[in-house]
């Protein structure tokens, strides 16, 4: 429903004007974290520290949307009112045409945080769009134009017709465009990539690199992978001593700082992996060919090479530019089978790597790394994008093998550079992860207490070992997955930064991302900086200033990419269950609210809602203090983690929602 906005009242001359980024909810109210915001009263841009959160009730947003930078004033208590929009977080929105009023289209944005509709003059449209394409039910991309204070609904401009709501390509395009991602590359960038692939001089470069082409070398990746970032090599130096090479595609050799390709990669910051497609950070001639470590081809790499004994203790380490030739491309399943059967191509090498990886993992867990493991949701889809099957992919031995060697390389590169720069800030790109906020931790402790458990921590900021020890105690119990999920939700999000605070989740004092430069821009920055330090040089101040901004950009784009991936999964889960209405599945209660019970279907990971109004045998009440749902008459109680038989009664691919009833 559209909302009426009141104009802000006259303000006293001395009233302080503040600046912040507003977070808006679907209920048309918002929040600003005021722990650090700016005041405009005396010195514009001066930083002011305050505790708490400013609340903007309905009617006080004054056209502000989620993520906008705004100017605001405090009104009463912790309440505020927005007085000016300084910068829109975004101006283009995907929505559905829900009406046509006197030549004006009414578009309802897909994002529930956009709390009103957009009025679009259909005569003012791109010439390539015919009026016959514009109809109620169509999904469109609209640019926000004018939105004066006091007006319920803004004016917008039609940019693109995506198609009919619910259709596969329409919905996938909506997911992509809603977050500002772009499929494909401009012709000039494709031409630049083709030129690099055509003119690069591999022979001239070989003499500048350490040659690993005679080593046993292979990649281990998913079945569907097309870009191979990393390879492992192994050779026995003497009995009980091995040289392990972690070889990473040398993207920075081809993509030079501030080149057109690099500027595009900076903007994209990451590849995006949706259910049915990949939106690469780099053109495919680079990502899937020249930079990709395909078998039986000489490839330029940046490597971390370790000498390890049988206990996976590092006796020597070396970092530098290399050349490799992968002997074999393994899928995770193929390599896992060879390890399980103890026979097959490169079986000895894989068994040794697996043994060392297990020891590395043991060291990591002993040091306090959090032992969270979640199965991935995978899809089988047909040529039209229809989901034929959904399943959870179990983490195999080989997933852990590859992960542990990548973690080793990332950690040791960060430690090496940190020693060189003596831990000075703004000298390197780190992957950091803060400890849980004390308030969130207390909330998690109370939640855990509802199940009769106790998470004990010595201080306000927990030690990862304390969390790990607790998780071991609840292994196999019905509430294990629910408690684990709640602990994960309490965690800070890992981000990129030039200021190192360590990685709480991995219990590493120094950590970076070095191993995926084809799909992550921070890894390219890390390669460039490592190269500078290996040459005993110092990066330019302006480069580090740019990298500071790009760390923030990369963190933001990573979150958008993750959100897009999850939304594409929810869309396909809802579409899949549309064809299974009336069928019964096993589920686990994953959420309790005032309006219903959320259940996760076990085989597909699809989450749906059981509404209390559909539980007709009793009147059910949500007890917030005990975090349980209880029937008034029969006293039946539902807890998080309880197993349940559920029937699918509704699935809506457009809204990406699923409704269940209890059986």
């Amino acid at each position: 429903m559209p909302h009426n906005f009141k104009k802000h009242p006259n303000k006293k001359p001395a009233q302080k004007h503040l600046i912040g980024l507003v977070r808006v909810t679907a209920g048309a109210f918002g929040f600003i974290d005021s722990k650090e915001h700016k005041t405009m009263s005396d010195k514009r841009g001066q930083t002011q520290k305050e505790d708490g959160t400013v609340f903007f009730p309905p009617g006080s947003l004054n056209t502000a949307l989620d993520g906008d930078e705004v100017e605001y004033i405090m009104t009463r208590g912790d309440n505020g009112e927005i007085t000016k929009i300084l910068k829109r977080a975004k101006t283009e929105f995907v929505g559905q045409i829900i009406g046509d009023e006197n030549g004006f289209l009414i578009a309802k944005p897909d994002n529930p945080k956009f709390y009103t509709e957009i009025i679009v003059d259909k005569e003012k449209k791109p010439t390539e769009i015919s009026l016959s394409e514009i109809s109620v039910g169509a999904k469109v991309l609209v640019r926000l134009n004018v939105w004066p204070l006091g007006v319920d609904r803004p004016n917008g401009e039609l940019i693109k017709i995506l198609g009919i709501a619910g259709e596969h390509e329409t919905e996938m395009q909506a997911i992509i465009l809603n977050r500002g991602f772009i499929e494909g590359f401009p012709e000039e960038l494709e031409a630049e990539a083709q030129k690099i692939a055509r003119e690069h001089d591999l022979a001239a470069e070989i003499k500048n690199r350490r040659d690993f082409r005679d080593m046993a070398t292979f990649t281990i990746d998913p079945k569907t992978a097309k870009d191979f970032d990393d390879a492992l090599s192994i050779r026995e130096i003497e009995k009980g001593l091995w040289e392990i090479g972690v070889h990473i595609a040398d993207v920075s050799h081809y993509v030079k700082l501030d080149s057109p390709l690099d500027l595009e990669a900076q903007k994209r910051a990451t590849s995006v992996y949706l259910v049915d497609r990949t939106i690469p950070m780099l053109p495919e001639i680079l990502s899937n060919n020249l930079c990709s470590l395909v078998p039986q081809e000489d490839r330029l790499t940046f490597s971390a090479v370790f000498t390890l004994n049988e206990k996976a203790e590092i006796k020597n380490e070396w970092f530098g530019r290399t050349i490799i030739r992968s002997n074999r491309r393994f899928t995770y399943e193929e390599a896992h089978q060879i390890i399980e059967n103890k026979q097959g191509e490169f079986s000895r090498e894989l068994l040794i790597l697996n043994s060392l990886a297990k020891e590395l993992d043991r060291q990591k867990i002993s040091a306090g790394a959090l032992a969270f493991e979640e199965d991935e949701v995978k899809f089988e889809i047909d040529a039209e994008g229809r989901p034929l099957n959904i399943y959870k992919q179990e983490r195999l031995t080989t997933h852990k093998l590859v992960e542990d060697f990548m973690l080793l390389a990332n950690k040791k590169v960060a430690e090496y550079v940190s020693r060189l720069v003596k831990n000075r800030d703004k000298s390197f790109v780190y992957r950091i992860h803060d400890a849980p906020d004390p308030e969130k931790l207390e909330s998690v402790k109370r939640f855990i207490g509802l199940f009769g458990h106790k998470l004990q921590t010595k201080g306000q900021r927990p030690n990862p070992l304390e969390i790990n020890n607790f998780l071991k105690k609840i292994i196999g119990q019905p509430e294990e997955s629910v408690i684990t999920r709640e602990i994960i939700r309490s965690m800070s999000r890992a981000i990129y930064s030039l200021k190192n605070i360590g990685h709480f989740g991995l219990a590493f004092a120094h950590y970076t991302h070095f191993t995926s430069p084809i799909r992550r821009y921070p890894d390219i920055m890390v390669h460039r900086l490592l190269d500078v330090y290996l040459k005993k040089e110092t990066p330019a101040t302006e480069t580090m200033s740019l990298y500071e901004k790009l760390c923030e950009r990369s963190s933001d784009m990573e979150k958008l990419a993750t959100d897009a991936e999850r939304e594409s999964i929810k869309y396909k889960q809802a579409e899949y269950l549309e064809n299974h209405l009336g069928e019964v599945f096993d589920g686990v209660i994953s959420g309790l609210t005032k309006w219903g019970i959320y259940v996760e279907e076990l085989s597909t990971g699809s989450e749906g809602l059981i509404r209390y109004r559909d539980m007709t045998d009793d009147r059910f009440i949500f007890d917030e203090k005990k975090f349980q749902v209880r029937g008034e008459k029969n006293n039946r109680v539902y807890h998080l983690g309880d197993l349940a038989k559920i029937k699918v009664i509704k699935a809506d691919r457009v809204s990406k929602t699923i409704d269940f009833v209890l059986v």
Side-chain angles (χ1 to χ4, degrees):
M1 291 288 294
H3 294 267
N4 292 316
F5 299 113
K6 59 183 180 182
K7 293 189 177 182
H8 57 78
N10 293 329
K11 300 174 286 297
K12 296 177 182 179
Q15 196 158 17
K16 190 190 302 179
H17 285 232
L18 306 165
I19 296 174
L21 295 178
V22 66
R23 290 177 287 124
V24 175
T25 73
F29 53 87
F31 302 89
I32 287 180
D33 184 355
S34 63
K35 288 180 180 176
E36 182 173 321
H37 58 199
K38 296 177 181 177
T39 175
M40 295 177 59
S41 53
D42 300 319
K43 296 180 181 178
R44 188 178 183 91
Q46 177 186 345
T47 298
Q48 173 170 314
K49 300 275 187 181
E50 290 185 14
D51 291 327
T53 299
V54 181
F55 174 66
F56 298 90
S60 66
L61 290 174
N62 290 325
T63 82
L65 298 169
D66 188 51
D68 287 354
E69 185 178 11
V70 299
E71 178 185 323
Y72 65 98
I73 58 171
M74 300 302 296
T75 52
R76 180 190 300 175
D78 291 332
N79 287 3
E81 181 168 358
I82 290 168
T83 56
K84 188 177 182 181
I85 311 299
L86 300 178
K87 185 180 180 183
R88 292 280 186 200
K90 59 183 294 188
T91 57
E92 294 184 359
F93 301 89
V94 172
Q96 186 173 346
I97 301 297
I98 60 170
D100 188 341
E101 300 176 3
N102 302 318
F104 290 91
L105 301 169
I106 312 299
K108 181 181 180 182
D110 284 0
N111 189 342
K113 294 180 181 181
F114 198 119
Y115 43 84
T116 187
E117 298 151 351
I118 303 174
I119 309 299
V120 181
D121 186 347
K122 65 180 178 183
E123 295 295 337
K124 295 179 180 177
K125 60 174 182 59
T127 53
E128 64 269 18
I129 297 177
S130 66
L131 287 174
S132 62
E133 293 180 82
I134 307 171
S135 60
V136 172
K139 277 268 177 97
V140 293
L141 180 65
V142 175
R143 181 180 295 118
L144 196 65
N145 284 344
V146 181
W147 195 354
L149 284 178
V151 175
D152 285 352
R153 301 183 292 187
N155 291 326
E157 174 187 350
L158 185 64
I159 300 173
K160 189 175 182 181
I161 303 284
L162 306 185
I164 302 301
E167 292 182 351
H168 170 76
E169 191 57 31
T170 300
E171 296 299 332
M172 297 306 289
Q173 285 297 318
I175 290 168
I176 292 165
L177 294 172
N178 245 334
R179 290 168 177 79
F181 298 127
I182 303 167
E183 283 197 283
F185 291 85
E187 287 183 12
E188 59 271 21
L189 290 181
E190 290 283 6
E192 182 188 353
Q194 293 281 355
K195 184 180 179 184
I196 290 171
R198 190 171 57 249
E199 297 180 359
H200 79 284
D201 191 344
L202 189 67
E205 184 62 24
I206 290 174
K207 63 179 181 290
N208 302 320
R209 295 172 177 258
R210 187 170 166 182
D211 195 336
F212 279 81
R213 287 176 293 178
D214 61 347
M215 306 289 178
T217 305
F218 38 79
T219 60
I220 308 175
D221 290 282
K223 287 179 184 177
T224 55
K226 294 178 181 177
D227 53 345
F228 309 136
D229 276 292
D230 55 88
L232 294 170
S233 70
I234 178 171
R235 74 181 178 100
E236 190 170 15
I237 298 173
E238 58 185 65
K239 187 170 177 56
L241 204 61
W242 290 274
E243 181 186 81
I244 310 297
V246 182
H247 306 288
I248 310 302
D250 192 358
V251 176
S252 64
H253 174 76
Y254 300 106
V255 179
K256 302 301 183 185
L257 182 63
D258 289 337
S259 67
L261 271 174
D262 184 61
L263 294 175
E264 182 69 17
Q266 290 178 19
K267 185 168 69 174
R268 295 181 180 227
T270 182
S271 294
V272 184
Y273 297 90
L274 305 181
V275 166
D276 71 329
R277 72 195 69 192
T278 298
I279 304 172
M281 183 177 74
L282 298 167
E284 287 190 8
I285 188 69
L286 298 180
S287 61
N288 292 2
N289 191 346
L290 183 62
C291 296
S292 186
L293 308 183
V294 294
Q296 309 307 327
E297 294 286 348
D298 290 349
R299 286 292 183 259
L300 302 182
T301 44
F302 216 136
S303 302
V305 183
F306 306 100
T307 302
L308 301 176
N309 64 14
E310 290 173 320
K311 295 180 180 178
E313 295 168 334
I314 298 174
K315 299 303 181 182
N316 190 32
E317 63 182 28
W318 178 90
F319 308 99
R321 287 195 142 110
T322 54
I323 184 167
I324 69 162
R325 175 183 280 254
S326 173
N327 304 115
R328 167 74 193 267
R329 183 255 160 130
F330 287 108
T331 66
Y332 284 119
E333 292 78 8
E334 288 169 343
H336 174 78
Q337 205 64 39
I338 290 171
I339 291 170
E340 287 291 295
N341 296 334
K342 296 182 173 56
Q343 62 181 12
E345 195 173 6
F346 293 108
S347 60
R348 182 170 184 267
E349 288 83 357
L350 284 168
L351 286 164
I352 293 166
L353 285 171
N354 188 48
S355 174
L356 293 171
K358 284 182 176 179
E359 186 58 34
L360 289 171
D361 189 61
R362 189 198 63 76
Q363 294 170 11
K364 182 183 67 177
I365 299 300
S366 297
L370 295 177
F372 293 135
E373 288 190 7
E374 288 187 287
D375 296 333
E376 278 189 80
V377 176
K378 294 291 184 181
F379 294 80
E380 292 176 15
I381 58 176
D382 66 15
E384 281 72 46
R386 289 185 293 262
L388 303 174
N389 187 28
I390 307 176
Y391 59 95
K392 288 184 178 179
Q393 184 180 65
E394 179 190 356
R395 274 174 58 83
L396 302 173
T397 302
T398 40
H399 287 102
K400 298 171 186 176
L401 184 160
V402 172
E403 180 181 281
D404 281 315
F405 280 108
M406 297 307 120
L407 289 174
L408 177 68
N410 288 334
K411 175 186 176 184
K412 290 301 176 182
V413 165
E415 288 179 352
Y416 174 77
V417 174
S418 295
R419 287 195 300 271
L420 289 179
V421 301
K422 297 179 173 57
N423 285 318
R424 291 192 309 272
D425 284 343
K426 299 191 177 182
S427 300
F428 195 55
V429 171
Y430 295 95
R431 178 71 167 177
I432 62 171
H433 183 222
D434 204 354
D437 178 86
E439 286 185 18
K440 287 184 178 178
L441 182 64
E442 284 305 311
S443 176
V444 169
K445 284 182 176 180
R446 288 193 295 273
F447 177 79
I448 288 170
L450 296 171
F451 297 90
H453 301 299
K454 189 172 183 180
L455 171 59
Q456 292 182 316
T457 58
K458 291 180 180 177
Q460 277 194 318
R461 295 174 78 83
N463 183 306
L465 275 172
E466 295 170 328
I467 296 176
N468 265 349
N469 289 336
F470 169 76
L471 291 173
K472 287 177 186 174
K473 293 177 184 176
I474 63 168
I475 288 175
Q477 299 191 34
E479 62 271 20
E480 178 190 359
S481 63
V482 174
I483 290 177
T484 300
R485 187 179 302 176
E486 199 65 23
I487 292 174
I488 291 172
R489 285 174 179 166
S490 75
M491 298 286 172
S492 305
R493 188 166 62 91
I495 60 172
Y496 299 101
S497 176
L498 299 190
K499 181 179 175 62
N500 183 36
I501 63 167
H503 196 293
F504 176 82
L506 293 171
F508 291 164
H510 305 87
Y511 189 64
T512 191
H513 271 173
F514 167 77
T515 54
S516 293
I518 291 177
R519 61 184 180 90
R520 295 188 304 225
Y521 192 81
D523 301 56
I524 297 178
M525 294 191 281
V526 165
H527 282 211
R528 290 176 182 149
L529 291 172
L530 177 59
D531 186 58
V532 167
Y533 290 122
L534 286 169
K535 293 174 180 175
K536 305 193 184 311
E537 297 173 354
T538 303
T541 303
E542 56 268 26
T543 299
M544 298 315 297
S545 296
L546 171 64
Y547 282 3
E548 187 169 26
K549 294 174 185 173
L550 291 177
C551 281
E552 186 175 348
R553 170 78 179 172
S554 297
S555 299
D556 291 343
M557 294 304 289
E558 177 187 54
K559 184 178 186 306
L560 287 174
T562 301
D563 290 346
E565 180 185 3
R566 287 175 180 160
E567 191 176 354
S568 76
I569 289 171
K570 280 189 166 186
Y571 166 59
K572 285 298 164 191
Q573 286 171 329
E575 184 183 4
Y576 177 78
L577 289 179
E578 279 181 347
N579 298 314
H580 295 270
L581 298 181
E583 294 184 23
V584 176
F585 296 90
D586 291 317
V588 60
I589 294 177
S590 56
L592 301 172
T593 68
K594 292 177 181 178
W595 54 87
I597 298 171
Y598 284 94
V599 177
E600 180 184 310
E601 196 279 308
L602 291 176
S603 63
T604 65
S606 307
E607 189 175 60
L609 177 64
I610 299 171
R611 302 175 193 277
Y612 296 137
R613 66 170 183 250
D614 294 325
M615 299 169 70
T616 54
D617 60 327
D618 201 346
R619 182 171 182 267
F620 289 89
I621 304 297
F622 173 48
D623 186 332
E624 289 188 70
K625 289 184 179 178
K626 295 182 178 178
F627 217 75
Q628 64 183 23
V629 171
R630 182 182 294 275
E632 284 189 332
K633 290 186 295 186
N634 59 27
N635 218 29
R636 187 182 301 136
V637 179
Y638 296 100
H639 303 92
L640 284 168
D642 286 352
L643 297 176
K645 287 281 185 185
I646 49 174
K647 182 191 292 185
V648 185
I649 59 168
K650 184 182 177 185
D652 185 338
R653 70 178 83 178
V654 177
S655 63
K656 304 171 186 68
T657 57
I658 301 161
D659 287 356
F660 297 134
V661 290
L662 284 168
V663 177

